[in-house]
Amino acid sequence: MTEKLHAPVIAWFDAHARDLPWRRPEAGAWGVMVSEFMLQQTPVNRVLPVYEQWLARWPRPADLAKEAPGEAVRAWGRLGYPRRALRLHGAAVAITERHGGDVPTEHAQLLALPGIGEYTAAAVASFAYGQRHPVLDTNVRRVLARAVTGVQYPPNATTAAERRLARELLPEEEATAARWAAASMELGALVCTAKNEGCARCPIAAQCAWRLAGKPEHQGPPRRGQTYAGTDRQVRGKLLAVLREAHTPVPQSVLDRVWHEPVQRARALDGLVTDGLVEPLPGGLYRLPLT
């Protein structure tokens, strides 16, 4: 089963992979790491301009580490989930202090960096260094759920069974395993999508367990929706937008104008302060963090 999946998916990837800047050799491990942070829960078309600006400004981890963390939040722009910017800054500082400014090659060293979880460590080790690791993002999980397990969608959170399956499916040869990781991810992004899957274009449609079963409807817990309008996330985004544009501390009265509901506005601002994304100053002033 495994070899029947590998060859057609990798051949499809060789023919159809998008030319993305973090896949080019000149991106290096730092470019791969930056892309992985930015692409979490954010589509490629929104990431591309911010990624290019980020690497032009901070081509190495040490360049970012020298800056205040608030500058990372400012440069993050409207990518969303801005705590990722703080985590990436923290990783850059650790890489500079512990590894001489070079993204470490060992999976365990990557995992030990602040802000780096199981997925990101595996992705950087695989995509930047060609190592053999199971890389389980949403797209890969969906491909495996359908092609192998025979269900429409994977569970809401990654399970031990999914990790075991991903390990079992890994090609033995390191370079092939790294290629498989990238290829299965791209297949989920472009063909085996969450909605309107393109089975006619899929290189493994003939052996897909879900398609062969007649594409049964999802039977698990309801899938999490991505609501935004009117949420605390939206209010946080509006508050951060004001602070990103300002290069001097902002008074409370200016922040009060961004949202009409004072209780939600105060809760969102308190959350930003708690998360380290905003620094309160005496006199009711606020700024992006300097330390």
Side-chain angles (χ1 to χ4, degrees), residues 15-55:
H16 298 284
R18 291 168 291 181
D19 178 21
L20 299 173
W22 45 86
R23 289 180 176 161
R24 298 169 194 161
E26 60 268 25
W30 174 237
V32 171
M33 178 175 285
V34 170
S35 77
E36 289 300 334
F37 271 81
M38 290 184 173
L39 287 164
Q40 292 166 21
Q41 299 176 290
T42 307
V44 165
N45 63 327
R46 287 182 56 203
V47 165
L48 281 169
V50 181
Y51 173 88
E52 299 280 13
Q53 293 160 11
W54 190 285
L55 268 294

Side-chain angles (χ1 to χ4, degrees), residues 5 19 50 126 129 133 143 151 154 180 203 211 220 241 246 249 275 278 281 284:
L5 290 176
D19 178 21
V50 181
S126 179
Y129 295 123
H133 296 282
V143 168
V151 296
W180 160 253
R211 191 190 70 82
D275 290 343
V278 171
L281 300 172

